[in-house]
Amino acid sequence: MDLPARPRPEIAHHAALDARLAKAARGVRLLSLASWPASEQQAFLAGWARGNPRLPAYAYPKHDFSDARREFAAIAAAADPAHPLGVYLAESAQGWSLAAELLEQLGTPAVTGLSVALFGKPDHALPGGATTREAANHFIAIANELDRELLAPAEQVQISATALSLQLQAALDDYFDARVITVQLDPDLIAKAAAGPTRIRLRAGAAFSDYDRHQLLQHEAFVHSLTALNGQQQGVLPSLALSSPRTTATQEGLAVFAEQITGSIDIERMKRVSLRIEAVAMALEGADFLQVFRYFLDAGQDEVESFTSAQRVFRGVPTTGGAAFTKDTVYLRGLIGVHTFFRWALKHDKLRLCRLLFAGKMTLADVARFEPLFDSGDLQPPRWLPEWVARANGLAGMLAFSLFANRIRLDQIMDSETVVEL
């Protein structure tokens, strides 16, 4: 999209800086460069089957992002700290610089500290005083108390990756009324799914559930892909289409919130997210890859999924213990942050900000600071929105109930008879 005619000097200045930022960040592909190839999984599981498992020791390629880091520093220095765009650019440049430094340190313990700077760690406090790890263990305990046999048989039917790809493709084509996002099978993908602006990849040969189908549609397609596509519409800030490290918590929180508000999430999904947080804490405390792998096995995951979960924790770091890639800690923290923001927006007649949050990949603070720029037309509203956001009345109804329900003190409800009377 073209810039507005004769943009104001401060807008033009920051637009030029953002173009430089997007160019410098092009090669800083944090997750893909830190991840392992599928051959690591095959080798480990073969050794596990023989009763002789060995710690993975992937040899990461060496990277030099010194030119990019110098450019990030120059962009941050040139940004106006008193302007919303300047704040966005300075913080984004700092995040990208940390990510670039992390990639240069792959395979070393230094990755842990850089990862914590980007994503936090399990003992970071949440609103209300509890830590992320405490929240994770809360969900794990609830999931363990529930009898999985109570699930309806239809919820236990497995869907092949091929069948799921066809179902997702049909749903996306129907939503866009065109082929905008392509669903592909990827035999080399360790994660079950990954999303970009115009492509969603599924791990070939993986089995999925009906809940997985709804979760992938809401999480990957209607949050990660949609915010990237809408970000591409921004003439002033094309970097809003990029998966910036500093926006990860909001992006993942928004994606899990989308699962929650559409009824696409189940307690087993919450358990998986929470197990990863506990596993990060274990690794930081000294657990090695094999111990974390066994932790996931004991929690009920099969061998393939246990490896997948464990490798998420040890991306980029030594597998001998005492180090971790901490990205998975953002999911619960992000969910709570986004949920709180949406409730705040309803209370203050700012639900519009919830829709504007889909105009690109940004933080909760960004969208509040950017409101005047949306009003002036310098930033464009989202072209595409998930149905649950577009239907403002339904969203308001859910949030209004949530605001009231939070006032109920469960510790003051004495027994089941009291509940019935209520």
Side-chain angles (χ1 to χ4, degrees), residues 413 415-422:
I413 299 176
D415 51 35
S416 60
E417 291 183 4
T418 305
V419 176
V420 172
E421 289 174 1
L422 289 174

Side-chain angles (χ1 to χ4, degrees), residues 27-50:
V28 186
R29 296 175 286 111
L30 181 58
L31 296 184
S32 61
L33 293 179
S35 295
W36 305 346
S39 57
E40 290 294 319
Q41 174 181 293
Q42 296 160 3
F44 176 84
L45 291 181
W48 175 263
R50 293 192 303 267

Side-chain angles (χ1 to χ4, degrees), residues 14 41 110 337 353:
H14 289 105
Q41 174 181 293
L353 292 181

